[in-house]
Amino acid sequence: MKNVLTSFLRGTDRRALSALSLSLVAGAVLQGIAFALIVPIARALFAPEPRVAWPWIAALVVVAAVQSVLHHRSVPMGNELGAQLVTTVNRTVSQRISQLPAHQLGAARSDRLAALDSSAIVVLMGLPAHVLRPLVAAVVTPMSVIVIAVFAAPAAAMLIAVAWIVSLVLAFAAARMLTATTEPDAAQWLERVRSWPVQPPAGAARRISSIVLPAAGEVLLWRSIELLLCGAMAVSVFVVTDGDPVTAVALILLSALMVRPTTEAALLASTVLNSREVLRNVGELLDGDPGAQQDWPEHDDIEFAEVGLAVGQVPFGFRLAARSCTALLGGSDGIRLTLAELATGNLAPPSGRVLVGGTPIADIAPGEVERNVHWVGPADPTSDELVGLPESEVALRAAQRMRATDSTTLSESDRACFGVLRAFGRAPRLAVVDLTSLHAVDSELDELVAEFARERTCLVLPPADAGAPAYAQRLVVEDLSGKIEARS
Amino acid sequence: MSGDGIGWRVRTSLVLEALGAVTTVASLVLVVEVCRRLLGDSGGSPAVLVVSAVAVVLFGAAVQFVGRVLSRDAGTRTREALRAGVAFRLRAALPAGALHASWREHGTTLGRDISSVGVMVGRATPEFVSAVLVFVLSIGYLFWVDWLMALVTLLPILLGFGVFGFISVRYAKEMKVDYEANVSALDSARPVLPLGERVGQAGTRASVAARTLRAARELTVQTDRFGEYFRQRIGELLSGRALAEIAFAPLTVLVFVLCGGGLLVQAGWLPAVDLLPFVVVGTGLAAPLLAITYYLEEIGEGKLAATRLGAVIAGTREEPEPIEGLTVPETGVLTVVAADPRDATRVVATTSTQVPADRICVVDVEPAVVLGEISAYIADGRPAEAERCARIARVHDLVAATPKGYESIVDIDVRLSPAESQRLALARALAADSRLVVLDARALPADVLADAVAELAPKTAVLVVTPDTAGVGTGEVRVVVDGHLAESGTHPVSAIAEESR
């Protein structure tokens, strides 16, 4: 979570943050002063000759009014900071994602990004204005009461300070217990779905850490406040007051009021935990290695250098010449597609390297990869116009037919055709043409792919049972017995 | 989910939570009584009461701890049950079309939904019950002490409610539509991965990366917009909420208690010592109220999430409009020619709903979702049958080439393309004991389809949906055009089928 706070502080108006902090602290101090006024008020009210101490009550009203004004003024400041927090955090997340190589942008990161939805954003926005205030008050209000008590009753102040320190230690212990375990997020549990059984049976250790500790934390947070109040009551009765029951009652009332901000903060535990989950998610989104961010090489041949697809597998290698078209044949679709994903940087090999013009593809800036690499497959037509088509008869004829065809009745071959037509507009330097979902390639599509492959480095993946297209070199993948070998 | 022991845990935890709430109020009442005894308002030693208060707090802590353990356990079990339910649904033989549709609708929110339901069961509900009971018991006690002073204490809280009400009305009248539109725009920026991409089918990584990148950019744009909207409109509304927070603050309640109480004491309508409960208990009245608003939000979210998850786990299939005259065959092979893909999809959907989900296998045009061990996916517990069916579906060579063969786990030991997933789905259909097998010819090569039909025909009813007459074999034939049954007959098909192409 440290990286989230760092990014927030870097992108936030420091003066606004200082102003809000000052306002919250001042409000909490004023609340402490107001609570301390209960002592003279109670002493007058419960004296043997009772009277209502209106001057003290008037002072209380004035302090409360000023505190309320501060509270009211701090809310817009908190809202502004909340909006800044969200926009800063989301911009940082977006920037980080745009710097990451494609192989780090898998489904898990996508899930985490999806979790940054409106609910998460509203939770973050509410942090400075509505959650921070009770948390600050829970710490600062008792502190200010202690400071006041030092001048009025040093012995009482010392005891209150000890109780306050104990309560802080207990609150810290409770917070540790509440955050001792984290539930797997969407990305993590969906990964587990792949292997059966979905969840291992919960062991005793897991139960203790995921159930007993948070439960103990919740109870400790809440009941420690009550126990402290009881302790304060006992001290007031037996130690401090020295036979003065009115002072004892006044101190008990002061203790009861002092714990109120802490109670308020304890009641927000659930909201704080929700905020923590959102911040944890943001923290994970900010993780990742952006790589060396190099430019796309001028000479972009593709080299698989000692690549292994699994641990212990015999490594293999091959080279695809720049501006050449190669058909990947043989093996399973899964293996061919995996090789194509490695070539385009969408997967990182477990061992070995994939180089583009001698540079590891993971080290090329993602923007450069996005501009220069394109995965072409069957696509649904969009309202976008087809642009960048070559002046060749085959492309223009196909485009004309696509425009005339009802988009809801397209076959898989038509969709593939559309995918290739749209790819002309992207003008990639390296392209994969994935035709594995087709049963066969008709002549129109074959000609279109040939036209597309002419000006770039192109990997074509024909349907499983189809042969190599005439315009492409052949690269046959053997993946029997877990051994992969590519031969031209 | 009650079968997982969740129900009794929740009920018991709520009872214990209620008992805990009673002890919370009781300990405060004992604090008041200690003060009364110190002031000589009632007889007896305050020491006994101090010890009693400590005992009540410790008892409350013990009771609440057991309650929270149970509710936390219930929350964890709920999450586990939901995860297992979703996993089961993803791995079950639900027609891929229905599964993909369900995923498109709810897939992105599944993780958050499961968490929301867990929070509702394990945290928000017990805390809500506790907060409500503490408030109700406290207010009951204060009315018992002095009803007039109780009303004075409640005054700021009622004012706070008034402000809340005013804000709610203003929100509903002026901002609800705007706000929901902004929230919806924000949510629409999320990356929504199709199921095939989510489970990591080979060849989908480029699309996943592109979607994630696009979504990140869009999220920035929408967040900036939402931030601006928040500053201009919602911020103003929340300033109003600040007034309610001030009204609920313990300091405000204290001011009302001392000012109102002072007047009542001075007028002789209230003994000074009766102000004690209002200072000790009254100032804490509003804190649970603010918390209740947060818990209600969490419970509301949890309920919505439970509804969405229920739809996914139950595999609720939308009833498509039936095609008049088209019924599923009892035996034999029925071929439906539907040149328009929309007709073909409708035929698959309507026939799928005519047979119970556990008695039908569908090899749909949408890629099958294959998860887990290959042998278990095809024919759980029958490895020989799994291999036999894989051979017919022409997927045996692929499986045999992997290091672990039929024990390979998809996407961990072997990555499959959508087409290969379809072949495994066909193998599963061949191995299953179904009442009906629906095969969409667009999903399979003609020779594989023909072999599958030949294998299936003697033991179960088969419905083949095909865009043209090329793959039509023997048996009954129906031709569907524009959502209507255009012709029925036996092979060979009439000219209508040819014309419908």
Side-chain angles (χ1 to χ4, degrees):
Chain A
M1 234 168 328
K2 214 178 276 178
N3 52 357
V4 184
L5 290 174
T6 309
S7 69
F8 170 58
L9 290 174
R10 206 181 294 138
T12 305
D13 179 357
R14 293 287 179 92
R15 284 179 61 187
L17 187 60
S18 306
L20 176 69
S21 308
L22 204 65
S23 173
L24 293 178
V25 170
V29 169
L30 285 174
Q31 186 167 247
I33 294 169
F35 285 163
L37 290 173
I38 194 69
V39 176
I41 294 169
R43 289 178 77 156
L45 200 59
F46 304 121
E49 297 284 317
R51 62 184 174 82
V52 180
W54 287 115
W56 287 116
I57 293 176
L60 174 71
V61 170
V62 170
V63 174
V66 176
Q67 198 260 357
S68 299
V69 169
L70 274 178
H71 182 163
H72 194 256
R73 284 176 64 98
S74 73
V75 169
M77 290 185 214
N79 288 337
E80 174 58 33
L81 269 177
Q84 275 189 31
L85 169 68
V86 167
T87 47
T88 305
V89 163
N90 279 10
R91 276 184 197 161
T92 312
V93 166
S94 177
Q95 198 181 4
R96 164 61 58 156
I97 285 178
S98 68
Q99 289 169 341
L100 293 177
H103 73 84
Q104 290 186 37
L105 303 181
R109 199 173 292 269
S110 175
D111 281 349
R112 293 196 174 106
L113 188 62
L116 213 52
D117 61 1
S118 58
S119 311
I121 282 171
V122 169
V123 165
L124 279 187
M125 275 185 164
L127 267 180
H130 302 288
V131 179
L132 206 54
R133 190 186 54 77
L135 296 182
V136 169
V139 177
V140 177
T141 297
M143 264 177 76
S144 52
V145 171
I146 291 166
V147 172
I148 294 164
V150 166
F151 297 104
M158 201 179 72
L159 286 168
I160 296 171
V162 169
W164 183 67
I165 289 166
V166 170
S167 76
L168 281 185
V169 170
L170 290 176
F172 181 72
R176 291 295 299 264
M177 287 175 180
L178 282 170
T179 56
T181 53
T182 47
E183 278 292 318
D185 62 15
Q188 289 161 338
W189 79 260
L190 270 166
E191 292 306 316
R192 294 183 193 176
V193 171
R194 295 176 181 190
S195 52
W196 195 258
V198 180
Q199 293 279 333
R206 187 174 153 268
R207 285 243 173 259
I208 287 171
S209 62
S210 70
I211 295 167
V212 177
L213 279 182
E218 285 170 8
V219 175
L220 182 65
L221 199 63
W222 186 256
R223 298 291 168 173
S224 64
I225 299 167
E226 292 178 1
L227 272 178
L228 281 169
L229 181 56
C230 291
M233 186 166 62
V235 168
S236 304
V237 170
F238 301 117
V239 183
V240 180
T241 56
D242 201 17
D244 177 6
V246 175
T247 304
V249 168
L251 288 177
I252 291 171
L253 292 183
L254 178 62
S255 309
L257 290 174
M258 246 181 77
V259 298
R260 284 295 166 212
T262 319
T263 312
E264 223 180 324
L267 280 165
L268 284 175
S270 189
T271 309
V272 173
L273 287 175
N274 287 344
S275 310
R276 181 178 168 271
E277 280 303 301
V278 174
L279 290 173
R280 185 171 73 101
N281 180 43
V282 172
E284 286 184 7
L285 277 167
L286 293 178
D287 282 345
D289 177 13
Q293 307 280 313
Q294 294 189 21
D295 288 342
W296 187 261
E298 194 56 41
H299 183 75
D300 47 9
D301 59 331
I302 311 290
E303 185 188 354
F304 278 57
E306 295 292 304
V307 169
L309 293 186
V311 178
Q313 193 180 58
V314 181
F316 63 95
F318 57 85
R319 184 187 289 268
L320 306 175
R323 291 164 70 96
S324 69
C325 180
T326 308
L328 267 182
L329 304 168
S332 67
D333 285 355
I335 290 286
R336 290 190 297 146
L337 287 164
T338 301
L339 292 179
E341 286 180 330
L342 287 167
T344 50
N346 287 298
L347 269 182
S351 65
R353 295 192 303 173
V354 176
L355 308 160
V356 179
T359 306
I361 194 162
D363 283 346
I364 299 174
E368 289 281 296
V369 175
E370 197 185 7
R371 256 193 306 282
N372 290 295
V373 180
H374 191 48
W375 189 282
V376 186
D380 288 320
T382 60
S383 55
D384 300 342
E385 272 296 301
L386 293 170
V387 292
L389 295 179
E391 291 296 320
S392 70
E393 194 193 332
V394 60
L396 296 175
R397 195 176 60 228
Q400 200 172 11
R401 193 174 69 78
M402 282 294 121
R403 289 188 188 109
T405 309
D406 179 358
S407 61
T408 56
T409 61
L410 291 179
S411 66
E412 191 69 355
S413 184
D414 290 336
R415 291 177 66 242
C417 204
F418 188 83
V420 178
L421 285 171
R422 207 168 59 180
F424 278 108
R426 294 284 303 269
R429 301 262 301 263
L430 166 65
V432 169
V433 181
D434 171 14
L435 304 174
T436 55
S437 63
L438 274 63
H439 302 318
V441 178
D442 59 35
S443 58
E444 184 187 61
L445 180 59
D446 195 49
E447 285 175 42
L448 197 61
V449 175
E451 176 73 36
F452 176 73
R454 195 167 296 155
E455 295 297 322
R456 61 202 93 241
T457 310
C458 197
L459 260 180
V460 179
L461 278 62
D465 300 326
Y471 52 83
Q473 297 168 28
R474 293 156 55 90
L475 185 69
V476 181
V477 180
E478 302 283 354
D479 62 342
L480 291 172
S481 311
K483 182 183 166 194
I484 293 189
E485 192 179 319
R487 57 183 170 80
S488 298
Chain B
M1 275 186 287
S2 55
D4 300 319
I6 295 167
W8 74 262
R9 281 179 172 80
V10 170
R11 284 191 294 275
T12 312
S13 77
L14 292 183
V15 170
L16 294 173
E17 203 64 52
L19 206 55
V22 172
T23 62
T24 294
V25 179
S27 68
L28 289 175
V29 172
L30 285 169
V31 171
V32 173
E33 288 309 308
V34 168
C35 293
R36 280 183 189 277
R37 288 204 182 169
L38 282 170
L39 296 172
D41 187 53
S42 57
S45 162
V48 176
L49 287 177
V50 171
V51 173
S52 306
V54 172
V56 165
V57 170
L58 290 176
F59 175 70
V63 163
Q64 196 180 27
F65 175 68
V66 176
R68 290 285 162 104
V69 166
L70 287 174
S71 61
R72 280 273 176 174
D73 195 17
T76 304
R77 283 167 187 268
T78 303
R79 278 191 286 262
E80 282 172 3
L82 290 170
R83 282 179 197 132
V86 172
F88 175 77
R89 182 52 58 204
L90 287 177
R91 300 163 68 105
L94 192 71
L99 193 56
H100 283 271
S102 174
W103 184 265
R104 272 193 293 272
E105 206 175 330
H106 303 298
T108 310
T109 54
L110 279 181
R112 175 176 285 274
D113 282 353
I114 288 173
S115 170
S116 294
V117 179
V119 166
M120 176 179 75
V121 174
R123 210 164 68 199
T125 305
E127 291 193 8
F128 172 76
V129 167
S130 175
V132 168
L133 272 175
V134 167
F135 178 76
V136 170
L137 291 171
S138 301
I139 201 76
Y141 167 64
L142 294 180
F143 269 98
W144 177 73
V145 173
D146 189 280
W147 68 269
L148 189 58
M149 191 57 215
L151 284 180
V152 170
T153 310
L154 272 181
L155 201 58
I157 294 167
L158 293 174
L159 284 173
F161 272 127
V163 173
F164 256 131
F166 176 75
I167 291 168
S168 304
V169 170
R170 201 173 148 213
Y171 168 74
K173 274 171 99 174
E174 298 174 17
M175 296 177 202
K176 191 166 185 273
V177 176
D178 276 6
Y179 181 77
E180 282 171 0
N182 275 280
V183 161
S184 164
L186 206 52
D187 286 339
S188 67
R190 290 179 305 189
V192 180
L193 300 185
L195 188 51
E197 291 181 13
R198 184 60 196 78
V199 297
Q201 274 174 343
T204 57
R205 291 296 303 255
S207 175
V208 171
R211 280 182 211 276
T212 309
L213 208 52
R214 260 200 315 272
R217 288 176 189 140
E218 184 60 18
L219 184 69
T220 306
V221 173
Q222 292 302 339
T223 309
D224 285 357
R225 276 189 199 151
F226 187 77
E228 205 47 47
Y229 170 76
F230 183 83
R231 286 183 181 101
Q232 287 177 1
R233 301 293 308 273
I234 300 296
E236 187 193 336
L237 196 72
L238 290 177
S239 294
R241 185 192 154 112
L243 287 176
E245 281 180 9
I246 291 167
F248 286 165
L251 191 52
T252 311
V253 179
L254 181 67
V255 166
F256 273 75
V257 165
L258 291 177
C259 291
L263 287 173
L264 291 177
V265 169
Q266 207 162 36
W269 291 358
L270 184 78
V273 80
D274 276 355
L275 268 184
L276 286 168
F278 296 95
V279 176
V280 174
V281 181
T283 50
L285 268 183
L289 286 180
L290 272 180
I292 285 169
T293 61
Y294 291 118
Y295 300 146
L296 281 176
E297 274 174 31
E298 286 178 355
I299 291 171
E301 263 181 39
K303 279 185 175 173
L304 283 175
T307 310
R308 287 194 290 263
L309 284 167
V312 173
I313 292 170
T316 314
R317 289 183 284 177
E318 204 175 298
E319 292 284 335
E321 204 180 325
I323 296 171
E324 205 173 325
L326 182 68
T327 52
V328 298
E330 288 297 322
T331 53
V333 181
L334 172 67
T335 305
V336 178
V337 181
D340 187 331
R342 287 171 296 186
D343 284 333
T345 303
R346 196 167 148 198
V347 169
V348 173
T350 52
T351 49
S352 299
T353 54
Q354 291 176 35
V355 178
D358 58 346
R359 300 289 290 138
I360 186 172
C361 267
V362 180
V363 181
D364 212 341
V365 72
E366 294 218 51
V369 178
V370 183
L371 295 169
E373 192 190 87
I374 289 178
S375 177
Y377 174 78
I378 299 175
D380 200 6
R382 294 176 293 152
E385 179 67 358
E387 185 177 329
R388 190 186 72 81
C389 295
R391 282 181 190 279
I392 299 168
R394 310 228 181 128
V395 74
H396 168 75
D397 290 346
L398 158 74
V399 180
T402 59
K404 293 185 185 169
Y406 283 85
E407 290 174 6
S408 299
I409 292 173
V410 175
D411 205 47
I412 292 174
D413 302 313
V414 57
R415 297 186 74 210
L416 301 173
S417 71
E420 288 164 345
S421 301
Q422 299 292 60
R423 303 271 184 108
L424 283 179
L426 177 63
R428 181 182 176 126
L430 291 166
D433 175 26
S434 304
R435 142 105 172 71
L436 175 71
V437 174
V438 179
L439 303 173
D440 192 322
R442 292 172 294 170
L444 300 162
D447 50 349
V448 176
L449 179 69
D451 288 354
V453 171
E455 166 73 16
L456 287 164
K459 58 177 186 179
T460 185
V462 183
L463 189 145
V464 179
V465 185
T466 175
D468 51 42
T469 54
V472 175
T474 55
E476 290 284 316
V477 180
R478 308 277 183 273
V479 180
V480 173
V481 180
D482 293 335
H484 298 285
L485 192 62
E487 195 186 347
S488 302
T490 51
H491 189 72
V493 290
S494 74
I496 292 177
E498 292 299 330
E499 285 168 10
S500 71
R501 296 184 65 186

